[in-house]
Amino acid sequence: MLSTNEQIQAELERVAGITISPCPSSSPFLKVHRAGICQTDRKAFCSPPSSMTLPRILGHEVCGQLSREVNGLVGGSRVVLWPALTCGICNFCKSGRENLCPKIQLFGCHLDGGFASAISLPENLINRLICLPLPDSLTFSQAVFAEPLGCVLHGLQKIGSRQPASLLIIGGGLMGRLAARAAGALWPGCRVAIFDNNEKRLANCRNEGGNREPGPAELVLVAASAARAFYYGLERLRPGGTIVLFSGFNREERKITLDHNLLHRREQRLAGAYGCCPTEMKQALELMAEGDVQVDDLISRTISLHDLDSEFTRELTVNDYKTIIL
Ligand SMILES: [Zn+2]
Ligand SMILES: [Zn+2]
């Protein structure tokens, strides 16, 4: 294992053929071993959000090795990055809801992200950086899933601390399948179904509860970027149930219409879920390390950094789940 700043820098220069001149030798950095491409990255590549200053290196699903000691973790430690810096002092930060910090800065959006050989870690902000150590049993490729699985856990926890009797996931993409697997691990008695209007995608999630005509559910997770997915889920929400808005909708569909009286009489709850907090990423690492959530078969493609442009411009298929940059 590489353990010093110099060793890691020498290895980087050998592998990538670059000199990390913008990163002073005293500044810590994360040597990126693996980075995952998320839908958010694909959307930002085509249409950067207004909060993103350009030019910007994308990538928020990142794991690697620290160049030197950072916040109690020794140089060479294998870590995954919680991909944000927060203020640490607001009520959200102090109550474990760091994803809602009004001063949040996201790697891959406000700060350069992980589609690079290394991420320079800002020395003056280093105490606000959260790196989670990887359990020995996890590979770097598996650790890439800590962030998406953490987001899924964040969404599922909107039901509260009890186990729902039934969960319906709308959308059989990567997040939908991860949500079904996480629910299987967390809630053994819960009946899980996934609906997708694409027959092939539905067939791919047969083992996770893929169902063409799902029944009503107590918890509905909308993991598809279309308003019709929300309406479909709301129709199948039981009285007293919770529907979670997990995916952002396309810009033109972002305004939805609700029958207030139905929600009122059925005492249904509508909950937003956005990103994840460090505790959920930690839980995601534990679930994967224990073998309770398997992710290997969800890696549909591996590419090198040099192939990034063509990856962003190619047409995705129903068999695309997670592309990982090696
Ligand atoms: Zn992501
Ligand atoms: Zn804060």
Side-chain angles (χ1 to χ4, degrees), residues 86-94 98 100-104:
T86 55
C87 78
I89 53 172
C90 73
N91 283 339
F92 291 117
C93 285
K94 286 201 283 193
E98 296 92 334
L100 296 181
C101 173
K103 297 203 171 147
I104 197 164

Side-chain angles (χ1 to χ4, degrees), residues 38 40 60-61 147-148 151 322:
C38 182
T40 319
H60 60 270
E61 299 174 0
E147 195 270 349
C151 292
K322 181 59 74 189

Side-chain angles (χ1 to χ4, degrees), residues 30 34 60-66 73 77-83 129-135 138 140 142-148 281-282 285 288:
L30 179 74
R34 296 284 188 278
H60 60 270
E61 299 174 0
V62 191
C63 55
Q65 280 179 285
L66 293 171
L73 293 168
S77 291
R78 301 164 73 244
V79 298
V80 62
L81 195 64
W82 181 64
L129 191 78
I130 298 178
C131 293
L132 302 169
L134 299 190
L138 276 193
F140 282 121
Q142 291 165 332
V144 159
F145 288 84
E147 195 270 349
M281 263 181 75
K282 193 162 173 284
L285 288 173
M288 290 190 288

